[in-house]
């Protein structure tokens, strides 16, 4: 009646729907990531993990959420009440806003910005203000020390992460998140194979940026009780928790987009069609993966003793079977298949990257703070600078002299590897350097009682 068509309102309606989906499902996803973390840690330590709430502990995140909502919310007596209340809200808000430019597939993105990567980095970096404000407003020495540690850690490792991302941007030639995936598609190679040191530097820096073990110094319980979260409880504590895991997904999404081909399936350049099928044989992988998960859950269900637990587990089996059917059905629709399968592969890659977070936490002991700073300033940043320069030189040789891209990137990575070996050897010499007479001189003002 008003001359408005679906195509006219689509640019306004779909982003709102995508935003509502993210806000609605992210807390649930975070809850089950924590369950996966506890289960994986248990299996690595020959334990079972949470098993009491639901079959195999599947309802544990729901119980945790109810507990956090019902716990008493305490504000310290001399705290700045307004800042104490706003700080966790600021952290979680910045973590959620960063999702606006993150593409979860070719068809699921709130805003396709020309400077999407820059927007995500800028917004996610503001989350540190929530941590610093929370530590300061708590009126606690432990909280303030944790906040200051977090600020120093972010500055140290975001520099290395930024240099690693610039190396990838040189290969992609754009700041658009979709453009970076399309660049890898057009070149026929994921950037992790052209710039593996950039990926390694960014991976280590992303763990430190999100305050995850072994770089969780801002909340080291053996030193600072709980760091900047010491005085928080209940729902406000859960907001900090949600912000941490939301940022983990954001940094994982950046790594997947820039280095791991985004929503592209593995071996995207390989096409195998048999029996006259109109789609590639590798496109059946999503459906087969869900069927494998259904078979595994069926095996677990048959081993359960209680009838209600079997019923819930068979419900999970049914969900996996339905998802397998959706993946298989989408192969018959050229319009829907890229979006559905692209979203599947993007989520799978994010989960694998997050598994690396968990694996590191259960494998490496916590660094001392001086070791943390040494790793960032004396190893990662110099290595990232050399890596960036060598990739730039290689691309100049490709564009100006016509050298093969693969050949120049191999040379650049060899030089970066030699630099890494030199830094490791140099760092060992610094750590084992003998003390001199100057080291034993008293510090001015030391020992004075005021």
């Amino acid at each position: 009646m008003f001359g408005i068509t679906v195509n006219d309102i689509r640019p306004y309606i779909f982003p709102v729907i995508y935003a509502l989906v993210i806000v609605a499902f992210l807390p649930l996803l975070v809850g089950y990531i924590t369950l996966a973390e506890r289960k994986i840690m248990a299996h690595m330590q020959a334990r079972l993990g949470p098993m009491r709430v639901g079959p195999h502990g599947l309802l544990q995140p729901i119980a945790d959420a109810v507990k956090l909502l019902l716990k008493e919310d305490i504000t310290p007596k001399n705290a700045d009440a307004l800042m104490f209340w706003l700080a966790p809200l600021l952290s979680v808000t910045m973590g959620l806003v960063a999702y606006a430019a993150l593409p979860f597939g070719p068809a699921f993105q709130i805003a396709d910005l020309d400077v999407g990567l820059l927007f995500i980095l800028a917004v996610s970096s503001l989350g540190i203000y929530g941590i610093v404000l929370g530590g300061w407003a708590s009126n606690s020495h432990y909280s303030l020390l944790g906040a200051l540690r977090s600020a120093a850690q972010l500055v140290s490792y975001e520099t290395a992460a930024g240099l690693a991302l610039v190396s990838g941007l040189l290969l992609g030639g754009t700041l658009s998140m979709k453009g970076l995936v399309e660049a890898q598609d057009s070149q026929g190679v994921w950037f992790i194979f052209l710039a593996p040191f950039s990926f390694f530097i960014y991976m280590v820096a992303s763990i430190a940026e999100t305050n995850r073990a072994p770089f969780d110094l801002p909340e080291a319980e053996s030193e600072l009780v709980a760091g900047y979260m010491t005085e928080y409880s209940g729902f406000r504590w859960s907001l900090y928790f949600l912000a941490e895991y939301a940022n983990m997904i954001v940094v994982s999404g950046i790594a997947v987009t820039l280095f791991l081909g985004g929503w592209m399936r593995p071996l995207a350049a390989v096409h195998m069609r048999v029996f006259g099928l109109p789609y590639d044989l590798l496109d059946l992988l999503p459906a087969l993966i869900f069927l494998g998960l259904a078979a595994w859950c069926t095996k677990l269900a048959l081993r359960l003793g209680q009838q209600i637990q079997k019923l819930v587990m068979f419900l999970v089996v049914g969900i996996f079977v339905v998802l397998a059917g959706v993946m298989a059905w989408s192969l018959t629709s050229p319009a829907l298949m890229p979006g559905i399968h692209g979203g599947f592969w993007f989520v799978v890659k994010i989960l694998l990257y997050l598994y690396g977070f968990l694996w590191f936490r259960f494998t490496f002991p916590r660094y001392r703070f001086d070791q943390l700073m040494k790793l960032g300033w004396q190893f990662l940043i110099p290595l990232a600078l050399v890596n960036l320069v060598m990739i730039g030189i290689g691309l100049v040789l490709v564009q100006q002299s016509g050298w093969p891209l693969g050949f120049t990137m191999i040379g650049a990575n060899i030089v970066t590897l030699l630099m890494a070996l030199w830094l490791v050897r140099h760092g060992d010499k610094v750590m084992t350097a003998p003390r001199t007479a100057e080291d034993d001189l008293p510090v001015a003002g030391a020992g004075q009682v005021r």
Side-chain angles (χ1 to χ4, degrees), residues 208-233:
E209 279 187 47
T210 51
N211 298 330
R212 296 287 298 179
F215 307 125
D216 57 339
L217 276 301
E219 50 191 88
E221 69 278 356
S222 60
E223 307 166 19
L224 304 177
V225 184
Y228 62 90
M229 296 188 293
T230 299
E231 302 297 336
Y232 282 90
S233 62

Side-chain angles (χ1 to χ4, degrees), residues 409-429:
M409 290 300 103
I410 290 175
N413 288 316
I414 290 175
V415 174
T416 306
L417 176 60
L418 294 175
M419 181 63 181
L421 296 175
W422 183 87
L423 286 171
V424 171
R425 184 176 180 183
H426 178 71
D428 290 340
K429 287 184 178 180

Side-chain angles (χ1 to χ4, degrees), residues 171-336:
L171 295 169
T174 179
L175 283 167
S176 168
M177 299 295 281
K178 280 190 175 181
L180 290 169
V181 179
E182 292 168 356
Q184 295 173 79
D185 189 17
S186 62
Q187 296 182 28
V189 61
W190 296 356
F191 289 161
I192 186 176
F193 299 111
L194 297 179
F197 285 98
S198 298
F199 176 76
F200 167 76
I201 294 168
Y202 179 75
M203 180 179 64
V204 176
S206 65
I207 297 173
E209 279 187 47
T210 51
N211 298 330
R212 296 287 298 179
F215 307 125
D216 57 339
L217 276 301
E219 50 191 88
E221 69 278 356
S222 60
E223 307 166 19
L224 304 177
V225 184
Y228 62 90
M229 296 188 293
T230 299
E231 302 297 336
Y232 282 90
S233 62
F235 181 70
R236 280 188 280 197
W237 179 88
S238 69
L239 288 181
Y240 271 130
F241 199 70
L242 178 61
E244 178 181 320
Y245 280 83
N247 286 324
M248 286 171 56
I249 298 174
V250 168
V251 297
S252 302
I254 294 174
V256 167
T257 301
L258 187 55
F259 296 107
L260 299 177
W263 56 79
M264 296 165 54
R265 67 168 170 80
L267 304 176
V270 178
H271 301 283
M272 295 185 296
R273 297 189 178 185
V274 295
F275 309 117
L277 296 175
Y279 44 81
D280 293 333
L281 191 61
L282 293 177
D283 289 333
L284 292 173
L285 279 177
L288 295 177
I289 289 173
F290 280 123
L291 288 177
L293 291 173
W296 180 63
C297 291
T298 302
K299 179 182 176 181
L300 293 178
L302 295 176
R303 295 166 55 185
L304 295 174
Q306 298 183 11
Q307 196 66 27
I308 184 64
Q309 291 187 340
K310 285 187 177 182
L311 181 62
V312 174
M313 188 59 73
F314 277 118
L315 178 61
V316 175
V317 171
I319 293 174
F320 283 136
V321 171
V322 170
L323 290 174
V326 171
M327 291 296 165
W329 169 78
S330 65
L331 295 175
T332 63
S333 175
L336 296 177

